[in-house]
Amino acid sequence: MRSFFSRIRVSRIFLLSVTFLTFVIFFISTIFSTFIYNNTKQQLIESLYIQAKAIDKLVPELNALPLSNYDAIANKLDIEGTNEEKLRVTIIDKNWTVVGDSFIPSEKLSDIEIHSPETRVEIKNALLNSYGTATRISETTGEELIYVAILRDPNDQTKGLIRVALPFNYYTSIFNFFIYPFVILLILVIASSSFLSFNVQTDLRKNLDSLLRNTQKALKGKRITESLGKKDTQIGSIADAVNDISIRLNSEIQQTVEQRKEFGNVLDNVNQGVIIFNKNFKVRFSNDIALEMFGKHQFFLNEKIKSKKLIKINKLLKSTKDNLSAESELSVKLSGEDRNFLLSATKMETTNEYILVINDISSLRKLEELRKQFVTDISHEIKTPISVIRANSETLSSTGAIKDPKLAEKFLNSILNNSERLSAMLDDLLELEKIEFGGLVLNRKKFNVYDQIDLILESQQALADVNNIIITNYIDKNISLKVDKDSFTTIFSNLINNSIKYSRKDGNVAIKALQNKDALIISITDKGLGIEKQYLNKVFNRFYRTPKARANTKGTGLGLSLVKQLASRMNAEAEVESKIGKGTTVFVTFPT
């Protein structure tokens, strides 16, 4: 008996260690239980939000069916989860009345109170944010539920709301996945500690204490300096091994952390999208550029690419599996815009992973299309004056018409007119190319708008006098503008010239300006024949001239295109309005 109690006295360290370990276990359990609660709850809320959005797409608008049909729809959408928990689906109309609930029979819907922002927190929050959520005990089921509510149309509350809910078994989760294993671990620790404390010699316990301290130092990356008292050969060897392992492990961990950090920084800063897949074609890593290229929620980490738009990537990876590398082009429509990507995939034989490098070549494709269209347009437009010049020259040379003064004058006038047209066309084209490829340098200066328009009118007055057209400048003499003066002059020289050419004889042209705090709008109105509605959206295209313009006036079809490009370079906008038989008005809006 005395020997037993002496053992108990010797094992006081055991009692202290058990007490300390118990405290640590409960401290950790408290931290983890809080983490599990918050994490589980947040994941459930996010899952409910996604399900609410999906259900919203499946439920017809409230005006599409009789209200009595929506309860049947809600009942069909109450999905059963893995724990035999059913998703509660509630449909609420614009008057905050429940028109469908998967947990409540149809005949009892009328007994439910109004689900308004004043009575339901989740509905109140849904009006302020993208979704609203609340946790409470349901009066219907008696269970604690997490509710998530969304507006069917964030801009229109009259289209009603969708609300979903699921039970949240927090205590069951904590017990099954945390408390129960910790209790078992605590019992095992106490049992094993009891056995060792009553059977290990004092010197062995001291050596173990020293080894423990040395191990703790090793875990912190410190070199072991404490020697064991009565050194046990095996324990000493273990201590030396722990020291060596700690040195190597810390060195490798530090190196790995630095490499991963550098690798991530490099991939995030390159101008190419990079996605890394594992051997099963699941996404392991994606840099920010790749997410921006394809848009968020098109693919997810640790999942295969399932988006129909990007399914071609999976085919490319399968080809890479056999050939080690492969390339392909991908054309998709993202946010209403056509995008083109060059995909280059490579297989890493050492890890059986795949690296996909993505280059956005949309601008290159657009440039190619523009160049093709430009070549087509210019070939067509230049061909006509060249053909006329050649035909007239051949006629003068081969038929002897050059000896007839009247015929010679006719053919020479035709050659001269088409030469001038060709020269004007080339000048306008060179100006357009200079604008589009950044060759135009803007020099912003402040000037008086009325005076500058008057200078332009003086240069156009001779043409106006020929057609007996009166041009009136109604612009306020105190209005000034700070833009590139040369570009301003080119824009309004073209517009005023057009207004004279396309006005009826003895007509008039009015130039006006409207200024507000954000912009200056200058308009030029003529009383000409007008432009048909179907042609209004084409008049700013290169070489485009309406049928009436081609029949009645000369021109290259580049003037308004030049106006549009110059206005765009100055952050201005050019627009046109017209009515047949009443005339045309061109508006140029300059930001101020």
Side-chain angles (χ1 to χ4, degrees), residues 230-245:
K230 294 180 180 179
K231 189 172 181 179
D232 182 91
T233 304
Q234 293 179 338
I235 295 178
S237 299
I238 293 173
D240 294 337
V242 168
N243 188 32
D244 291 340
I245 291 172

Side-chain angles (χ1 to χ4, degrees), residues 426-571:
L426 291 175
D427 288 340
D428 288 344
L429 283 171
L430 290 173
E431 189 69 23
L432 279 171
E433 289 301 297
K434 186 167 69 173
I435 296 168
E436 292 181 355
F437 290 97
L440 179 66
V441 178
L442 299 179
N443 184 17
R444 289 166 54 87
K445 288 184 179 180
K446 192 172 183 180
F447 57 88
N448 184 281
V449 176
Y450 177 89
D451 292 342
Q452 190 62 27
I453 292 293
D454 253 10
L455 288 175
I456 299 170
L457 291 178
E458 287 179 9
S459 66
Q460 303 278 349
Q461 192 61 48
L463 180 62
D465 291 342
V466 170
N467 294 291
N468 199 23
I469 293 173
I470 299 173
I471 306 176
T472 309
N473 184 357
Y474 291 104
I475 296 176
D476 190 330
K477 294 183 179 180
N478 296 319
I479 293 177
S480 60
L481 186 64
K482 188 177 182 179
V483 294
D484 184 71
K485 195 172 182 180
D486 292 337
S487 298
F488 181 92
T489 302
T490 302
I491 288 173
F492 287 98
S493 292
N494 274 282
L495 294 179
I496 292 171
N497 183 271
N498 282 352
S499 67
I500 295 171
K501 287 196 300 184
Y502 298 115
S503 288
R504 296 186 179 93
K505 286 191 176 183
D506 303 322
N508 57 75
V509 175
I511 304 173
K512 300 178 182 179
L514 174 65
Q515 187 172 36
N516 54 43
K517 63 178 182 179
D518 297 321
L520 172 66
I521 305 171
I522 301 176
S523 64
I524 299 177
T525 304
D526 63 51
K527 300 297 181 181
L529 298 175
I531 304 171
E532 289 86 346
K533 187 176 181 180
Q534 65 267 30
Y535 301 135
L536 284 177
N537 61 343
K538 299 179 182 179
V539 294
F540 289 108
N541 294 346
R542 286 180 176 179
F543 300 112
Y544 184 80
R545 302 184 71 210
T546 63
K548 288 183 180 179
R550 288 183 181 274
N552 299 315
T553 60
K554 297 178 181 180
T556 63
L558 293 171
L560 287 180
S561 180
L562 186 61
V563 167
K564 191 74 171 179
Q565 292 288 349
L566 284 172
S568 178
R569 282 299 301 270
M570 294 191 293
N571 296 322

Side-chain angles (χ1 to χ4, degrees), residues 29-45 134-136 144-146 168-174 178:
S29 68
T30 302
I31 295 174
F32 270 77
S33 62
T34 304
F35 172 78
I36 290 173
Y37 175 82
N38 293 331
N39 191 56
T40 306
K41 184 176 181 181
Q42 186 59 36
Q43 287 182 352
L44 183 56
I45 289 172
T135 305
R136 63 175 178 275
E144 186 176 15
L145 300 177
I146 290 183
F168 182 59
N169 298 322
Y170 164 69
Y171 296 105
T172 302
S173 301
I174 290 295
F178 187 74

Side-chain angles (χ1 to χ4, degrees), residues 17-32 178 182 186:
S17 65
V18 169
T19 303
F20 176 76
L21 187 60
T22 303
F23 171 79
V24 170
I25 289 175
F26 278 104
F27 178 77
I28 294 175
S29 68
T30 302
I31 295 174
F32 270 77
F178 187 74
F182 262 87
L186 180 61

Side-chain angles (χ1 to χ4, degrees), residues 321-472:
K321 184 177 182 181
D322 300 326
N323 304 317
L324 299 183
S325 64
E327 285 190 355
S328 178
E329 283 195 25
L330 175 66
S331 298
V332 294
K333 199 174 190 69
L334 299 173
S335 302
E337 182 182 356
D338 291 328
R339 303 285 295 278
N340 296 278
F341 301 99
L342 177 63
L343 309 177
S344 301
T346 305
K347 181 180 180 181
M348 296 184 289
E349 295 187 46
T350 54
T351 59
N352 285 328
E353 293 179 325
Y354 301 87
I355 296 180
L356 178 67
V357 179
I358 309 153
N359 289 283
D360 191 340
I361 58 172
S362 303
S363 57
L364 293 176
R365 290 290 174 264
K366 288 180 181 177
L367 186 59
E368 287 178 4
E369 290 299 321
L370 285 174
R371 288 191 178 278
K372 289 179 183 177
Q373 186 62 41
F374 174 72
V375 171
T376 302
D377 290 343
I378 196 172
S379 298
H380 175 73
E381 293 297 329
I382 291 180
K383 185 177 180 181
T384 301
I386 290 177
S387 299
V388 173
I389 292 170
R390 181 178 179 181
N392 284 305
S393 299
E394 288 177 349
T395 302
L396 284 172
S397 175
S398 62
T399 63
I402 194 169
K403 296 178 180 179
D404 187 335
K406 291 185 178 180
L407 286 175
E409 184 181 0
K410 177 181 178 182
F411 286 123
L412 289 172
N413 285 335
S414 177
I415 291 172
L416 179 61
N417 290 336
N418 281 277
S419 298
E420 290 174 349
R421 180 186 173 193
L422 188 59
S423 177
M425 189 185 302
L426 291 175
D427 288 340
D428 288 344
L429 283 171
L430 290 173
E431 189 69 23
L432 279 171
E433 289 301 297
K434 186 167 69 173
I435 296 168
E436 292 181 355
F437 290 97
L440 179 66
V441 178
L442 299 179
N443 184 17
R444 289 166 54 87
K445 288 184 179 180
K446 192 172 183 180
F447 57 88
N448 184 281
V449 176
Y450 177 89
D451 292 342
Q452 190 62 27
I453 292 293
D454 253 10
L455 288 175
I456 299 170
L457 291 178
E458 287 179 9
S459 66
Q460 303 278 349
Q461 192 61 48
L463 180 62
D465 291 342
V466 170
N467 294 291
N468 199 23
I469 293 173
I470 299 173
I471 306 176
T472 309

